[in-house]
Amino acid sequence: MIDLVAAAHGTADPRGIREVHALVRLIAGLRPSVPVSLGFVDVDVPALPGLVDRVVADGNQAVVVPLLLSSGYHTAVDIGREAERRPYQVQAASALGPDPVLADVLVDRLRACVDLGSASGSASVDRVVLAAAGSSDRRALLDCSATAALLAERIDRPVEVGYVSGAGERLGSVLTRSTGQVAVATYLLAPGFFADRVRRIAGDLPVSAPLGADPRIAALALHRYDVARKLSAVAV
């Protein structure tokens, strides 16, 4: 069996650490036959390179699945490097997003804090701002825009992206020029520094919770694993 190595960003916030570990437990529970481990590309331990080395030390194969919401530096460089180091043992899967599954989870998180209305009723929100961590990598920005489009389709109202770091328009700027009743959709996997920053910037506006350890996201991670594993088999 090919190991699944989940690769998360890492955080110093214990809330975020607990949430990521909970997600990995969900992944393992959905596919008990697959060995699952967790490594980090930054901040936390075990660091991804050392973990991958241990997993494949006895000739095993592994698929590294990014627990990241968009493509960018960490997927292309940190995770891509592991596949390049061991091309016949390690395959890199795609990032979790953009994907309709994530948009569905975003809708549920929004509904928990605001009235999105229904076909027969009015809503308390005119538009939504998708709050993302941000990146200097254009691929990540494009992925976030694609997620915003998926969310807009589901809630039938405009969705723009505001970033708390990196390139792209900052969250505060987007909120300042947004008119009507506005809600903020937190496009982050777990609680921590960025999620707290989103809430501070949003002020009194309704803000949804991070996506969190959701069974649908665990299933999506396993789908990314399956796709990468099949591509690896075809390549061989």
Side-chain angles (χ1 to χ4, degrees), residues 13 27 30-31 44 54 60 62 81 89 91 96 104 114 128 135 148 152 178 188 191 196-197 213 224 231:
D13 192 304
I27 294 170
L30 287 175
R31 195 78 61 85
D44 216 337
R54 291 193 293 275
N60 294 339
R81 184 186 294 132
Q89 286 184 283
Q91 180 76 16
L96 295 177
D104 291 340
V114 295
V128 168
S135 172
S178 296
L188 300 167
D196 290 345
R197 192 171 177 187
R224 295 286 186 261
L231 288 175

Side-chain angles (χ1 to χ4, degrees), residues 78-98:
D78 292 319
I79 294 171
R81 184 186 294 132
E82 298 309 306
E84 292 171 0
R85 285 200 304 132
R86 298 176 180 271
Y88 300 107
Q89 286 184 283
V90 178
Q91 180 76 16
S94 300
L96 295 177

Side-chain angles (χ1 to χ4, degrees), residues 69 97-114 116 128-132 143-152 154-155 159-161 183-189 207-212 214 216-217:
L69 299 179
D99 194 275
V101 167
L102 299 180
D104 291 340
V105 178
L106 281 167
V107 172
D108 288 347
R109 299 295 177 266
L110 275 170
R111 288 194 182 280
C113 70
V114 295
L116 292 176
V128 168
V129 176
L130 186 72
D143 284 352
C144 289
S145 294
T147 297
L150 289 170
L151 178 58
R154 283 156 175 75
I155 64 175
V159 178
E160 287 190 81
V161 187
V184 178
T186 302
Y187 192 46
L188 300 167
L189 191 60
V207 179
S208 67
L211 301 180
D214 190 289
R216 292 167 290 182
I217 299 177

Side-chain angles (χ1 to χ4, degrees), residues 114-184:
V114 295
D115 180 12
L116 292 176
S118 63
S120 58
S122 60
S124 62
V125 174
D126 300 315
R127 61 183 63 246
V128 168
V129 176
L130 186 72
S135 172
S136 59
D137 192 306
R138 185 170 178 270
R139 290 167 294 188
L141 304 185
L142 291 173
D143 284 352
C144 289
S145 294
T147 297
L150 289 170
L151 178 58
E153 290 175 0
R154 283 156 175 75
I155 64 175
D156 193 27
R157 49 183 50 80
V159 178
E160 287 190 81
V161 187
Y163 300 95
V164 295
S165 69
E169 188 175 2
R170 293 304 172 98
L171 176 61
S173 173
V174 177
L175 292 176
T176 297
R177 62 175 175 75
S178 296
T179 58
Q181 299 297 314
V182 180
V184 178

